[in-house]
Amino acid sequence: MSKNRKLLMGTVVEAANKGASGSILQKRNPTIVFVLGGPGSGKGTQCANIVQHYGYTHLSAGDLLRAEIKSGSENGTMIQNMIKEGKIVPSEVTIKLLQRAMEESGKDKFLIDGFPRNEENRAAFEKVTGMEPSFVLFFDCPEEEMERRLLSRNQGREDDNIETIRKRFKVFLESSLPVISYYDAKGKVRKIDAARSVEEVFATVKAIFEPKNEKVLLLYYWLLLRCLTFWY
Ligand SMILES: Nc1ncnc2c1ncn2[C@@H]1O[C@H](COP(=O)(O)OP(=O)(O)OP(=O)(O)O)[C@@H](O)[C@H]1O
Ligand SMILES: O=c1ccn([C@@H]2O[C@H](COP(=O)(O)O)[C@@H](O)[C@H]2O)c(=O)[nH]1
Ligand SMILES: [Mg+2]
């Protein structure tokens, strides 16, 4: 086979594989839960609990971006500057990372933490992937509490300083809350009071992930009541 023909074949195979990997993700028809809330509201902490109890795969958009910086990618410096300023990285960059992570995981239940951060993120994700979240967890927490948590997180994050934290709060209010309102209007938001202990917050999260158990319990009580009224 000539060199040019080999190159052409390579390109065709690559294009076919790309198409196939996209459709494999769609064929798997994954369950997607967006996990949103202000900086420091406890998204990552609660996602870790959900993974343990319900077998979801946790994808933190922020973690994927930080890994991209470390990998020495050509986008690294741009991403690092955006994170330092608390700004939102362009959708195409974040969506590519999320898509790749979903495809490579081979799994079909995802917690997407800290994304979408603005309306453009949301619309681009739905357009590019053709997928919508089953529901949205919204960890609602006052700024004073989030600030306290972030300032004592001690994980060496470059954006856990008071200047960047204030910028992140502003971006959350102006750009991310409208995304939550959008899904709220569609009845998809599960709002959780996140200003409580980790255990108390997780108890509420559990009730969201186990609504069927509650229904089974209700049915059980109803049957018991019917039996009792029949006997007496
Ligand atoms: N309910 C809670 N009560 C007290 N501290 C908490 C609670 N939940 C999480 N924390 C602590 O607060 C800090 C921030 O939590 P976490 O990293 O889960 O927040 P996050 O929403 O993922 O933040 P970010 O958006 O910056 O990634 C961590 O140090 C964590 O241990
Ligand atoms: O979808 C996203 C997610 C994150 N970013 C940037 O990363 C930082 C940190 O995100 P965390 O969720 O707190 O880990 C955030 O402030 C943004 O600068 C993003 O641009 N897009
Ligand atoms: Mg986090």
Side-chain angles (χ1 to χ4, degrees):
M1 199 188 293
S2 76
K3 199 177 165 199
N4 280 350
R5 192 159 158 71
K6 263 189 194 163
L7 279 175
L8 181 66
M9 284 294 283
T11 316
V12 171
V13 170
E14 199 186 327
N17 281 343
K18 265 189 192 157
S21 65
S23 63
I24 281 168
L25 189 58
Q26 277 176 349
K27 266 188 210 141
R28 266 195 250 136
N29 192 20
T31 301
I32 290 178
V33 176
F34 286 150
V35 182
L36 302 177
S41 56
K43 302 180 294 295
T45 305
Q46 295 299 329
C47 282
N49 282 336
I50 299 167
V51 166
Q52 278 190 356
H53 285 74
Y54 305 107
Y56 275 76
T57 297
H58 176 207
L59 298 177
S60 154
D63 286 350
L64 290 172
L65 291 168
R66 283 182 285 273
E68 189 69 357
I69 299 172
K70 279 207 185 122
S71 77
S73 126
E74 56 179 353
N75 286 322
T77 311
M78 177 273 290
I79 297 172
Q80 191 168 27
N81 291 334
M82 301 292 269
I83 290 183
K84 262 190 212 154
E85 288 303 311
K87 289 185 181 159
I88 299 170
V89 171
S91 295
E92 61 268 24
V93 173
T94 318
I95 291 171
K96 246 185 220 158
L97 293 174
L98 285 168
Q99 263 189 313
R100 194 169 70 196
M102 284 193 278
E103 280 163 13
E104 287 178 358
S105 75
K107 300 285 171 47
D108 60 4
K109 279 162 60 176
F110 300 100
L111 297 169
I112 299 192
D113 162 3
F115 179 94
R117 268 184 140 81
N118 61 15
E119 270 295 290
E120 201 258 328
N121 274 180
R122 181 199 62 72
F125 180 86
E126 289 184 3
K127 190 168 175 215
V128 171
T129 66
M131 297 186 279
E132 273 200 40
S134 304
F135 59 90
V136 176
L137 290 182
F138 168 33
F139 291 102
D140 187 28
C141 196
E143 278 191 7
E144 309 79 67
E145 175 63 18
M146 296 196 286
E147 188 178 303
R148 252 194 307 276
R149 291 179 187 178
L150 291 175
L151 290 175
S152 54
R153 180 154 55 179
N154 284 329
Q155 285 177 2
R157 273 180 55 164
E158 279 195 82
D159 53 352
D160 279 351
N161 58 77
I162 194 63
E163 294 78 30
T164 314
I165 289 171
R166 297 249 156 91
K167 289 179 186 165
R168 288 157 73 197
F169 284 162
K170 190 167 184 288
V171 169
F172 176 71
L173 287 179
E174 290 174 358
S175 304
S176 310
L177 272 181
V179 176
I180 296 165
S181 304
Y182 170 88
Y183 285 120
D184 199 25
K186 294 185 132 201
K188 289 195 171 187
V189 172
R190 312 288 179 265
K191 183 172 164 177
I192 297 157
D193 173 8
R196 298 169 293 157
S197 72
V198 173
E199 296 72 25
E200 285 170 318
V201 175
F202 190 56
T204 310
V205 169
K206 268 181 153 175
I208 293 168
F209 280 85
E210 295 176 21
K212 282 188 201 111
N213 288 359
E214 280 175 8
K215 276 183 198 153
V216 169
L217 212 61
L218 273 177
L219 189 68
Y220 174 77
Y221 283 133
W222 180 80
L223 279 171
L224 197 69
L225 209 67
R226 289 294 298 254
C227 289
L228 289 174
T229 39
F230 179 74
W231 283 326
Y232 295 103

